[in-house]
């Protein structure tokens, strides 16, 4: 009777496209976590004492934390053995590279398979790429050009060496080392990531971009990103990732901290496509990420845009602390769960300053047996006069075996606050599909078109080149599952 | 062009069409009238391939091919167009994009080149002028927030653009004022040619005064019980369906 349901099911059978492993000799720490391992990591990275002290402080705190306390999210997985994870892995290459010619050809080949031709990107799109291959950065481009403007865009390890004063000042200032189980673990063992500093009054002339990739089997990836936009500056940062196919679950516990000073704007866009596991839920990445931005200065602005299509489990709440008066926080999200994927994602908007405002637009798409939760907190503190929030959470169900859940938390302590929340749940209607078919449109194409229409508000917020990629990703993810 | 024989169809286990026969030749405009629940919309939906309806007996030949075996999108590509009684809203997809996707799907099926955005725009503008529709509707989401009349007009626009061999209008006139009615009729009239055929399903005679049908049928109890020329439609408008019911009862035909 309902042929569209069958169509959707038939469409759910595409394999993950990026399943391959690059064979690069890895310099890998033995599995297990101890103070010795942390000292090993810190030494390997030639870190100053304050970094080691900070890592150890985090590690000791982590030992006191109970993972069960972090299990409030609506996701289900078997316990992780943290002693079975290797906490350090670096491709064996020279630490400093002058040009792409010096990069391991295997690594370059991997990027090509992923459709990330670095050279082409440099030439065509003017995107400076800081490519993180497993745990060590292997290629940094456009550094000179950015350097002229005083912009620092480098790997986290390099920043620790070259700009320890900035690291000391801002590391953990948004996500403290004791923040939560996974962020604390990251603080103890993180290996690399990106660092960005935009000086006062500078508008970064290009989109800064990092592609992350997990490569070594059983190596948990602990990235740490810190972006500081000084007074009156602007930066747009893109983060995208894919991962090779594998059987064992991989933990990915990243931390991203953003700091915006007076009148500064940070736009952070993510396309996340970690390996989601196979149709039976085997394998796939656990994506337990803490992302938070602090609008520290007056009239500063932080805008998160994310397209989450991958991972077996996503646990992620890019948030804004609106501390400066008149600051603005935004969160635009498209999350897709297919097969047995689970996602518990959303945002927190913490209004501390006067006349602060926030916008939340969340689009969740569930297909197959996918389970998806939107969880959002809007908190208006006592001092936050005239704070405003608008939230809109829409869920789209494809097929009849998936689920969508919405948990909005609202806490208002100032009577002048104004909070609006809208939520809808819809299914791709048989009537919509039939309407498209009656106009001659293939049902697969129709589903893809309907889903894209549903996400349009968020895609519009992505930088141009990302918007195309996101649309394509959605098609692939849902073609495997939707169309 | 269209040959319907002894068509039986049901929805949710309830039989609606009970042995319907209809023969439409190229170049003809047929009007189908009938009281509520007589099966008019069911006929339109069955011809278009709406999956909720189940055909239990009979056959439908379209250009000699078995129409009932084709999936809905193939029927459309073969030139069967349904102007929906309740056009569906598609948020986030512009009318222009939707219509171009649709037109290209059909062109591809016919082995023609896809139309590019520029050519499409000039084509669709020409059609919009014809049915006096504002160009702003091109960039709005398909039917979203359109008034009832605007939705109907959008159906006629798509029809004019796709140039179907067999157009089925399912109560396209209901909810239209007299000016809109004239424009819709104009749109349909431009489609008239010796190759095209139109099936107009309506409650009212008034559309038929702008759109003079070659044949008028009365559908009742899931069958066509009377056929005639335009005067039949006028008589129905004046006297209702009571007299036909009596005739049918006298004739002993199954209701």
């Amino acid at each position: 009777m309902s042929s569209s349901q069958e169509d959707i099911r038939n469409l759910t059978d595409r394999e993950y496209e990026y399943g391959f492993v690059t064979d690069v000799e890895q310099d890998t720490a033995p599995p297990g976590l101890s103070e010795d391992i942390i000292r090993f990591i810190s030494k390997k990275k030639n870190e100053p004492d304050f970094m080691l002290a900070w890592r150890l402080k985090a590690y000791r705190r982590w030992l006191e934390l109970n993972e069960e306390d972090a299990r409030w999210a609506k996701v289900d997985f078997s316990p992780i053995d943290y002693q079975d994870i290797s906490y350090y892995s670096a491709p064996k290459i020279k630490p400093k590279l002058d040009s792409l010619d010096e990069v391991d050809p295997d690594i370059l080949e991997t990027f090509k398979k992923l459709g990330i031709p670095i050279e082409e990107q440099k030439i065509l799109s003017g995107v400076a790429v800081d490519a993180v291959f497993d745990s060590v950065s292997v290629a940094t481009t456009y550094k000179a050009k950015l350097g002229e403007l005083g912009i620092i865009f480098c790997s986290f390890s390099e920043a620790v060496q070259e700009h320890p004063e900035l690291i000391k000042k801002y590391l953990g200032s948004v996500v403290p080392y004791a923040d939560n189980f996974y962020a604390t673990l990251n603080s103890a063992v993180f290996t690399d990531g990106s660092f960005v500093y935009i000086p006062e009054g500078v508008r970064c002339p290009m989109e800064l971009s990092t592609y992350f990739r997990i490569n070594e089997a059983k190596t948990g990836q602990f990235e740490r990103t810190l972006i500081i936009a000084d007074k009156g500056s602007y930066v747009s940062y893109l983060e995208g990732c894919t991962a090779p196919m594998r059987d064992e679950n991989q933990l990915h516990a990243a931390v991203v901290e953003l700091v915006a000073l007076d009148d500064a704007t940070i736009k952070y866009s993510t396309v996340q496509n970690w390996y989601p596991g196979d149709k039976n839920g085997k394998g796939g990445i656990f994506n337990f990420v803490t992302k938070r931005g602090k609008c520290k200065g007056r009239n500063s602005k932080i805008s998160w845009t994310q397209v989450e299509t991958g991972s077996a489990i996503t646990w992620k709440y890019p948030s804004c602390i609106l501390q400066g008066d008149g600051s603005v926080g935004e969160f635009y999200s498209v999350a897709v769960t297919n097969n047995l994927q689970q996602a518990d994602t959303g945002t927190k908007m913490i209004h501390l300053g006067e006349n602060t405002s926030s916008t939340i637009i969340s689009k969740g798409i569930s297909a197959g047996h996918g389970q998806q939760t939107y969880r959002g907190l809007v908190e208006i503190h006592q001092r936050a006069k005239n704070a405003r929030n608008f939230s809109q959470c829409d869920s789209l169900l494809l097929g009849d075996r998936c689920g969508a859940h919405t948990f909005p938390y609202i806490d208002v302590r100032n009577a002048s606050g104004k909070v609006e929340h809208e939520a809808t749940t819809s299914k791709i209607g048989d009537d919509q599909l039939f309407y498209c078919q009656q106009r001659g449109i293939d049902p697969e194409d129709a589903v893809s078109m309907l889903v894209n229409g549903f996400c349009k508000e968020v895609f519009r917020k992505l930088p141009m080149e990302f918007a195309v990629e996101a649309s394509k990703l959605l098609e692939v993810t849902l073609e495997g599952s939707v169309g | 062009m269209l040959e319907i024989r002894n068509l039986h169809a049901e929805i949710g286990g309830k039989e609606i069409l009970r042995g319907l026969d209809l023969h439409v030749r190229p170049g003809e405009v047929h009007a189908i009238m009938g009281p509520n629940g007589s099966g008019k919309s069911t006929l339109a939906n069955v011809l278009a391939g709406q999956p909720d309806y189940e055909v239990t007996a009979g056959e439908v030949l379209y250009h000699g091919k078995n129409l009932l075996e084709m999936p809905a999108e193939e029927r459309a590509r073969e030139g069967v167009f349904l102007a929906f009684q309740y056009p569906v809203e598609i948020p986030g997809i512009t009318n222009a994009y939707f219509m171009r996707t649709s037109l290209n799907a059909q062109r591809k099926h016919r082995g023609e080149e896809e139309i590019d955005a520029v050519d499409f725009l000039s084509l669709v503008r020409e059609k919009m002028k014809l049915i006096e529709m504002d160009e702003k509707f091109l960039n709005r989401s398909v039917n979203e927030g359109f008034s009832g009349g605007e939705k109907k007009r959008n159906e006629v626009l798509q029809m004019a653009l796709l140039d179907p061999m067999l157009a089925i209008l399912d109560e396209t006139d209901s909810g239209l004022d007299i000016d809109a009615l004239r424009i819709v009729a104009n749109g349909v009239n431009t489609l008239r040619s010796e190759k095209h055929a139109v099936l107009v399903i309506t409650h009212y005679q008034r559309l038929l005064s702008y759109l003079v049908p070659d044949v008028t049928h009365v559908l009742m109890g899931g069958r066509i019980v009377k056929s005639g020329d335009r005067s039949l439609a006028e008589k129905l408008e004046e006297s209702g369906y009571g007299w036909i019911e009596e005739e049918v009862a006298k004739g002993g035909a199954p209701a």
Side-chain angles (χ1 to χ4, degrees):
Chain A
M1 170 137 299
S2 182
S3 71
S4 61
Q5 297 294 351
E6 275 166 42
D7 286 333
I8 288 167
R9 269 174 218 167
N10 291 340
L11 288 168
T12 321
D13 292 327
R14 191 187 253 215
E15 299 290 316
Y16 183 71
E17 283 199 337
Y18 301 128
F20 49 84
V21 178
T22 309
D23 182 24
V24 177
E25 275 186 80
Q26 304 272 344
D27 184 2
T28 304
L33 185 52
S34 63
E35 290 206 2
D36 282 349
I37 288 289
I38 288 162
R39 286 176 205 279
F40 168 79
I41 294 169
S42 190
K43 193 162 180 216
K44 203 83 178 144
K45 305 182 78 61
N46 195 27
E47 287 178 346
D49 290 344
F50 81 89
M51 278 304 306
L52 177 61
W54 198 73
R55 286 176 183 278
L56 290 173
K57 204 163 54 171
Y59 176 64
R60 286 164 196 153
R61 174 70 186 140
W62 183 75
L63 290 175
E64 296 165 10
L65 291 172
N66 185 350
E67 189 173 10
E68 287 308 308
D69 296 336
R71 296 283 302 256
W72 40 262
K74 195 175 161 46
V75 293
D76 192 28
F77 59 94
S78 25
I80 298 166
D81 182 355
Y82 290 94
Q83 294 304 334
D84 195 35
I85 294 173
S86 165
Y87 289 88
Y88 184 78
S89 148
K92 277 183 181 166
I93 46 155
K94 284 176 233 156
K96 298 280 175 195
L97 295 173
D98 294 327
S99 79
L100 285 175
D101 301 340
E102 294 175 43
V103 176
D104 190 319
D106 269 6
I107 292 173
L108 293 180
E109 187 55 34
T110 303
F111 284 127
K112 275 188 194 133
K113 281 191 210 160
L114 286 171
I116 314 163
I118 295 182
E119 290 106 322
E120 260 184 62
Q121 276 193 3
K122 281 201 288 184
I123 299 158
L124 295 176
S125 59
V127 174
V129 176
D130 175 25
V132 174
F133 190 85
D134 273 47
S135 311
V136 170
S137 300
V138 292
T140 302
T141 54
Y142 274 88
K143 201 175 267 182
K145 198 174 167 191
L146 295 171
E148 283 169 27
L149 292 163
I151 293 170
I152 304 167
F153 176 38
C154 63
S155 71
F156 203 96
S157 334
E158 202 178 327
V160 169
Q161 303 298 327
E162 313 275 331
H163 310 282
E165 71 295 344
L166 286 172
I167 299 289
K168 225 173 181 169
K169 184 167 178 189
Y170 290 108
L171 176 68
S173 71
V174 186
V175 180
Y177 73 88
D179 193 77
N180 67 70
F181 187 83
Y182 303 107
T184 301
L185 177 63
N186 174 289
S187 301
V189 303
F190 75 92
T191 43
D192 215 333
S194 294
F195 177 81
V196 176
Y197 172 78
I198 313 290
E200 190 169 337
V202 171
R203 188 181 170 87
C204 184
M206 60 186 85
E207 317 268 0
L208 300 180
S209 163
T210 303
Y211 285 87
F212 294 97
R213 183 165 166 81
I214 294 177
N215 195 259
E216 178 85 331
K218 284 174 101 177
T219 303
Q221 187 98 359
F222 302 94
E223 300 287 346
R224 188 142 194 137
T225 298
L226 174 58
I227 298 176
I228 301 144
D230 213 326
K231 290 176 184 169
S233 68
Y234 168 90
V235 62
S236 169
Y237 188 88
L238 317 183
E239 171 206 28
C241 41
T242 55
M245 190 177 286
R246 64 188 64 260
D247 276 334
E248 257 166 282
N249 289 312
Q250 284 185 303
L251 176 64
H252 180 75
V255 171
V256 175
E257 295 181 276
L258 312 180
V259 181
L261 302 183
D262 289 357
D263 303 303
T265 296
I266 301 175
K267 195 170 152 54
Y268 193 104
S269 312
T270 307
V271 171
Q272 186 269 114
N273 185 30
W274 301 112
Y275 178 54
D278 66 14
K279 272 183 292 191
N280 305 314
K282 194 174 181 212
I285 302 290
F286 289 2
N287 191 26
F288 300 159
V289 178
T290 304
K291 287 184 168 176
R292 197 174 301 152
K294 189 188 266 182
C295 285
K296 204 171 175 197
R298 301 175 63 90
N299 303 319
S300 56
K301 179 176 172 182
I302 289 177
S303 180
W304 298 99
T305 305
Q306 61 172 18
V307 177
E308 302 280 325
T309 63
S311 296
I313 301 174
T314 298
W315 179 94
K316 184 181 168 187
Y317 315 89
S319 305
C320 298
I321 298 168
L322 303 168
Q323 182 182 322
D325 291 345
S327 60
V328 176
E330 293 176 340
F331 175 73
Y332 301 99
S333 170
V334 167
V336 185
T337 46
N338 187 21
N339 295 321
L340 289 164
Q341 279 179 282
Q342 309 172 61
D344 192 305
T345 183
T347 184
K348 288 187 272 187
M349 293 292 174
I350 314 291
H351 293 254
L352 302 175
E354 294 180 6
N355 301 309
T356 48
S357 66
S358 60
T359 304
I360 299 169
I361 309 281
S362 165
K363 304 275 181 179
I365 300 160
S366 234
H369 289 99
Q371 287 296 327
Q372 187 157 147
T373 300
Y374 167 82
R375 191 183 301 276
L377 169 68
V378 176
E379 207 173 272
I380 295 181
H381 282 243
Q382 220 163 4
R383 201 184 78 76
K385 256 191 274 173
N386 300 318
R388 297 276 177 275
N389 164 267
F390 174 76
S391 302
Q392 186 187 327
C393 305
D394 298 327
S395 304
L396 186 66
L397 302 173
L398 303 174
D400 49 12
R401 297 172 297 173
C402 51
H405 320 272
T406 302
F407 298 100
Y409 302 80
I410 296 170
D411 182 0
V412 180
R413 311 218 164 173
N414 185 306
S416 62
K418 192 175 161 195
V419 175
E420 294 171 69
H421 182 92
E422 291 177 9
T424 65
T425 300
S426 50
K427 291 180 80 163
I428 280 203
D430 287 350
D431 56 340
Q432 285 177 320
L433 262 183
F434 176 62
Y435 190 68
C436 295
Q437 281 173 271
Q438 211 301 305
R439 296 300 184 251
I441 300 169
D442 194 89
E444 283 183 36
D445 296 343
V447 170
S448 166
M449 184 168 81
L450 293 168
V451 170
N452 260 294
F454 175 75
C455 300
K456 198 161 207 175
E457 264 175 290
V458 173
F459 284 175
R460 245 199 305 251
K461 296 289 173 185
L462 286 171
M464 190 61 121
E465 60 269 38
F466 246 30
V468 175
E469 191 177 323
S471 199
K472 218 165 60 186
L473 246 186
L474 205 70
E475 233 166 79
V476 171
T477 312
L478 291 180
E479 258 170 39
S481 58
V482 187
Chain B
M1 166 184 273
L2 183 69
E3 187 86 48
I4 304 176
R5 294 192 196 119
N6 189 34
L7 185 63
H8 289 254
E10 57 179 51
I11 182 167
K14 190 177 174 216
E15 187 172 53
I16 310 284
L17 298 183
R18 301 170 189 174
L20 185 141
D21 295 287
L22 181 66
H23 187 193
V24 180
R25 277 179 291 264
E28 291 180 346
V29 174
H30 288 233
I32 296 185
M33 304 185 73
N36 285 333
S38 59
K40 301 191 299 291
S41 282
T42 298
L43 175 61
N45 278 297
V46 166
L47 292 177
Q50 216 286 350
D52 292 344
Y53 293 86
E54 199 180 340
V55 174
T56 50
E59 64 175 354
V60 179
L61 295 177
Y62 171 69
H63 287 304
K65 290 187 224 169
N66 183 349
L67 187 73
L68 300 176
E69 272 182 1
M70 300 180 198
E73 64 273 18
E74 197 182 328
R75 299 183 197 194
R77 292 170 196 165
E78 289 283 336
V80 177
F81 179 91
L82 172 64
F84 282 65
Q85 186 179 3
Y86 304 108
V88 177
E89 298 187 2
I90 306 180
I93 297 298
T94 66
N95 223 6
Y97 181 83
F98 180 75
M99 286 191 286
R100 189 152 78 91
T101 305
S102 162
L103 181 59
N104 278 333
Q106 306 205 5
R107 287 173 72 106
K108 202 173 148 197
H109 180 74
R110 295 194 294 259
E112 296 168 21
E113 291 230 337
E114 293 199 352
I115 190 167
D116 66 32
V118 177
D119 288 346
F120 172 77
L121 207 60
S122 60
L123 178 67
V124 76
R125 279 187 175 143
E126 178 196 316
K127 303 295 182 190
M128 290 184 104
K129 205 173 275 175
L130 184 78
I131 55 166
E132 299 174 34
M133 198 165 163
D134 197 301
E135 280 183 23
K136 73 180 183 208
F137 286 102
L138 280 179
N139 291 318
R140 285 178 54 180
S141 292
V142 179
N143 293 322
E144 195 182 35
F146 288 25
S147 72
E150 285 163 354
K151 283 181 181 171
K152 295 298 178 74
R153 212 179 279 207
N154 204 29
E155 294 292 292
V156 176
L157 172 64
Q158 292 177 57
M159 183 181 75
L161 185 77
L162 296 171
D163 192 32
M165 288 293 129
L166 174 66
I168 305 160
L169 282 72
D170 189 3
E171 300 199 17
T172 302
D173 53 340
S174 58
L176 292 185
D177 62 30
I178 204 79
D179 285 333
L181 207 60
R182 179 181 49 78
I183 291 160
V184 166
N186 269 346
V188 177
N189 280 329
T190 55
L191 205 67
R192 281 182 119 149
S193 82
E194 32 192 75
K195 278 192 259 165
H196 296 77
V198 184
L199 213 54
V200 184
I201 291 170
T202 181
H203 259 304
Y204 311 103
Q205 186 272 337
R206 50 179 204 162
L207 176 65
L208 304 180
S209 49
Y210 295 101
L211 189 100
V212 184
D214 299 298
V215 192
T216 300
H217 307 276
V218 176
L219 185 58
M220 217 174 256
R223 305 180 55 193
I224 286 178
V225 293
K226 197 169 181 65
S227 302
D229 59 13
R230 206 188 130 202
S231 61
L232 176 59
E234 282 166 5
K235 191 164 179 198
L236 290 172
E237 186 86 349
E238 278 166 29
S239 325
Y241 294 99
W243 61 280
I244 298 185
E245 273 167 22
E246 281 165 30
E247 256 187 42
V248 171
K250 268 183 222 157

